[in-house]
Amino acid sequence: MHQARPAEGERLTESGTFHFACNDSLPCFTQCCRDVNIYLSPYDILRLRKALGGMDSAGFLARYTQNFLAKVTNIPVVQLLMDRQTLRCPFVTERGCSVYLDRPWACRMFPLDLAPGGEYTLIAGKERCKGLLEPGSASVGRWLEGQGVGRYAEMEKEYLAVVPERFKPGAAMNEGLGRVLFLAYDLDRFARLLDDPRFCSFYDVDDAMLARVETDGEELLRLAFRYIRAQMEELY
Ligand code: SF4
Ligand code: SF4
């Protein structure tokens, strides 16, 4: 007996199955990389900069994103900029994604997205995403594992943990705090603070840690999270 295919908008649990296989012979190939809203996390930016040969954070933010502090909440919003003429993602090529190994979390999730209650939802229909008509099927959990989503989810959890409980979910903070939070996206600006020995001494950053963060972007991001959290607690 054939299993029914989930429809667009349908909710799935981690053990739920769906049919999906993407490949370059499908007529929709790369169409999902056009005219799409992709919100970037601090970890997404770290990975994309790595894919671009270690591009500096300010240069990346200026060239590839639209970023601002949200009205009212002042929470940083960083969105991948599509090409103004073609509306295509700056990283898509005829052969697919040029940053595939470091593609953002949202791209790894597609055609799924997170839904409330730890569930998932199909955000594309079979008319648009022909991969949903392919015969292969897998459980949501297994498929996400294959997409390497776990690391992104862990880092996002760490990022969300820097915001004190009183500002969750999405309560308004002042602009100054929003700018402090933005350091997680503009990591080179945070790294420059480490040039000051008084800063390192105040935040217990020893030489071993300094050597680690110089070569390990994830460690640097974690240190930035620690600093931001301390600032937020101090300022509030
Ligand atoms: S629309 Fe779906 S099947 Fe087509 S390229 Fe994108 S993910 Fe793959
Ligand atoms: S980053 Fe890659 S997968 Fe994501 S929209 Fe751009 S080209 Fe497509």
Side-chain angles (χ1 to χ4, degrees):
M1 193 172 83
H2 288 292
Q3 212 173 11
R5 289 170 187 262
E8 184 174 358
E10 194 165 326
R11 298 276 285 268
L12 293 161
T13 62
E14 202 159 316
S15 58
T17 55
F18 73 120
H19 292 257
F20 178 66
C22 177
N23 66 72
D24 60 6
S25 65
L26 294 169
C28 57
F29 186 60
T30 74
Q31 286 309 304
C32 48
C33 302
R34 183 183 175 279
D35 199 11
V36 61
N37 282 327
I38 296 177
Y39 294 97
L40 300 174
S41 68
Y43 187 61
D44 281 333
I45 292 182
L46 184 69
R47 292 284 296 258
L48 286 170
R49 287 173 50 215
K50 172 178 149 274
L52 297 170
M55 187 175 188
D56 67 288
S57 58
F60 178 89
L61 288 162
R63 179 163 175 190
Y64 293 114
T65 76
Q66 155 168 283
N67 60 79
F68 52 90
L69 299 183
K71 279 188 187 143
V72 185
T73 64
N74 280 311
I75 293 210
V77 178
V78 181
Q79 198 176 3
L80 187 59
L81 262 187
M82 299 289 126
D83 181 272
R84 283 186 212 289
Q85 258 88 50
T86 64
L87 300 182
R88 282 159 69 86
C89 170
F91 306 123
V92 73
T93 70
E94 294 306 306
R95 284 172 286 117
C97 177
S98 62
V99 292
Y100 188 77
L101 292 177
D102 297 294
R103 66 201 183 283
W105 188 8
C107 305
R108 289 167 191 267
M109 293 284 296
F110 192 85
L112 296 175
D113 198 3
L114 297 173
E119 290 191 333
Y120 301 87
T121 186
L122 262 184
I123 54 166
K126 300 169 189 76
E127 313 69 40
R128 179 178 162 217
C129 178
K130 304 293 182 198
L132 291 165
L133 293 168
E134 293 289 290
S137 77
S139 73
V140 169
R142 188 131 182 223
W143 185 75
L144 291 178
E145 195 184 321
Q147 295 297 307
V149 161
R151 192 95 196 103
Y152 286 74
E154 276 166 31
M155 292 303 280
E156 184 65 0
K157 202 169 155 194
E158 290 187 38
Y159 172 56
L160 294 178
V162 308
V163 178
E165 287 303 322
R166 58 182 299 169
F167 293 118
K168 293 175 186 170
M173 60 176 71
N174 69 32
E175 194 182 326
L177 283 184
R179 291 191 189 287
V180 171
L181 205 49
F182 192 71
L183 283 176
Y185 295 88
D186 193 358
L187 211 47
D188 289 339
R189 199 150 63 86
F190 167 71
R192 285 197 287 277
L193 297 175
L194 300 171
D195 293 339
D196 182 349
R198 286 166 305 173
F199 177 92
C200 293
S201 152
F202 191 79
Y203 287 101
D204 289 331
V205 180
D206 59 18
D207 288 349
M209 170 67 92
L210 273 181
R212 272 206 307 281
V213 300
E214 210 164 295
T215 54
D216 186 336
E218 287 188 23
E219 279 292 311
L220 179 64
L221 185 56
R222 285 207 169 89
L223 186 59
F225 289 163
R226 177 150 74 83
Y227 167 73
I228 295 167
R229 170 93 207 185
Q231 285 287 296
M232 293 202 133
E233 275 167 1
E234 196 179 309
L235 295 171
Y236 268 83

